[in-house]
Amino acid sequence: EYIALKYAKTVLNRSAIYEAQVLSPLGGVDVVQYYFTALMLLVMLFSGILFGFLYRKENKAVEQKLKIYGMNALSLSVIKIGIMVFYLWMIEWLFMIGGKLLSEKKAFAVLDFSGMDFLKSGFFGGLLALVIASYFHMVYSVGKDYQQGTIFLLLSNVILFLSSGLIVPKAYLPVGVQKLSVLSPLTLLSRFQLDYLFGQLSLWIVGVTILLFMIFVAVGVFFSWKKV
């Protein structure tokens, strides 16, 4: 009995090792929150294929006429990005409101949205929509036509999701893919989204997100201008 008690005490004391530092393949966030944001990003990114109509040949003719009246590549890019931002922002609000309503049902009590600030989430959600819309514009602008742009977008989305660790947490990915995920824009956007929905945003991540938006816009406007 003495030996059994001594062994139990030793085992319980060792638990302090795990209390000192919590290691999580999800980056220390709740698993439900992690996959909720992952699903939201998945829907937002793959909704990009619905915006191919903005880059059809029929719209190119309209753009040519608008350019005659003084509209340049930047102005046309702003219009297209603005249209996409509106729909992306609506998707975010549907997810946030739906998540909040479900969390109030006993059957979905695992969804904890009690700490969500809708004003903050709506504002920074608009920034996320802006970044994703500028990414869509960049990819479509790189393609020769909207069909090629759609293919590029699908391939890019698949690569981003597989390398970012949103479907399979980074801790379970091969070492090479883990290193690649650090450079993935989607890894940053996922962290940004998790922080404004369920945590605290840092100035660093907001600044890098804005920088990412500026890069996407600059590349998109450049390729739009090249097509003129």
Side-chain angles (χ1 to χ4, degrees):
E1 185 180 347
Y2 172 78
I3 295 173
L5 288 172
K6 196 71 175 177
Y7 176 77
K9 185 177 180 180
T10 303
V11 170
L12 290 172
N13 286 337
R14 283 188 173 183
S15 67
I17 297 172
Y18 303 99
E19 291 172 1
Q21 184 177 6
V22 177
L23 299 177
S24 168
L26 306 177
V29 299
D30 181 79
V31 63
V32 177
Q33 295 173 350
Y34 180 88
Y35 283 109
F36 175 83
T37 55
L39 178 61
M40 190 191 298
L41 275 176
L42 179 69
V43 172
M44 290 176 72
L45 281 181
F46 283 94
S47 70
I49 61 175
L50 302 176
F51 299 118
F53 71 93
L54 294 171
Y55 302 87
R56 289 177 180 271
K57 288 183 179 179
E58 294 84 350
N59 285 330
K60 291 293 180 183
V62 176
E63 288 179 21
Q64 292 296 333
K65 291 180 180 179
L66 290 173
K67 286 168 185 173
I68 295 173
Y69 292 102
M71 293 195 73
N72 54 25
L74 177 59
S75 302
L76 293 171
S77 296
V78 169
I79 292 172
K80 291 178 181 178
I81 290 173
I83 293 170
M84 292 186 283
V85 165
F86 174 77
Y87 287 103
L88 290 170
W89 203 37
M90 290 301 102
I91 291 173
E92 287 185 281
W93 274 106
L94 286 174
F95 266 89
M96 290 190 294
I97 294 171
K100 182 68 173 177
L101 292 175
L102 283 175
S103 68
E104 294 173 357
K105 304 292 182 181
K106 288 184 178 180
F108 297 92
V110 69
L111 286 165
D112 183 11
F113 285 72
S114 57
M116 181 186 288
D117 184 337
F118 273 85
L119 185 62
K120 182 184 76 171
S121 298
F123 176 79
F124 286 108
L127 176 57
L128 178 66
L130 198 59
V131 176
I132 295 177
S134 61
Y135 158 70
F136 291 160
H137 179 63
M138 177 187 71
V139 176
Y140 274 116
S141 299
V142 169
K144 292 181 179 179
D145 49 43
Y146 91 94
Q147 290 98 333
Q148 190 180 74
T150 302
I151 294 171
F152 284 170
L153 185 63
L154 285 172
L155 288 174
S156 178
N157 286 348
V158 170
I159 292 170
L160 285 174
F161 258 92
L162 292 178
S163 64
S164 65
L166 285 183
I167 299 175
V168 179
K170 288 185 289 184
Y172 300 134
L173 296 174
V175 177
V177 179
Q178 288 185 35
K179 292 179 179 178
L180 182 63
S181 70
V182 177
L183 303 174
S184 173
L186 198 55
T187 302
L188 169 71
L189 294 180
S190 173
R191 185 73 260 172
F192 174 71
Q193 188 179 39
L194 275 168
D195 286 351
Y196 77 69
L197 284 175
F198 304 109
Q200 294 294 324
L201 279 168
S202 65
L203 288 176
W204 179 85
I205 199 167
V206 174
V208 176
T209 303
I210 293 172
L211 177 62
L212 197 62
F213 159 69
M214 293 171 67
I215 293 171
F216 287 156
V217 169
V219 175
V221 171
F222 173 76
F223 278 96
S224 296
W225 171 76
K226 288 281 286 184
K227 289 180 180 180
V228 176

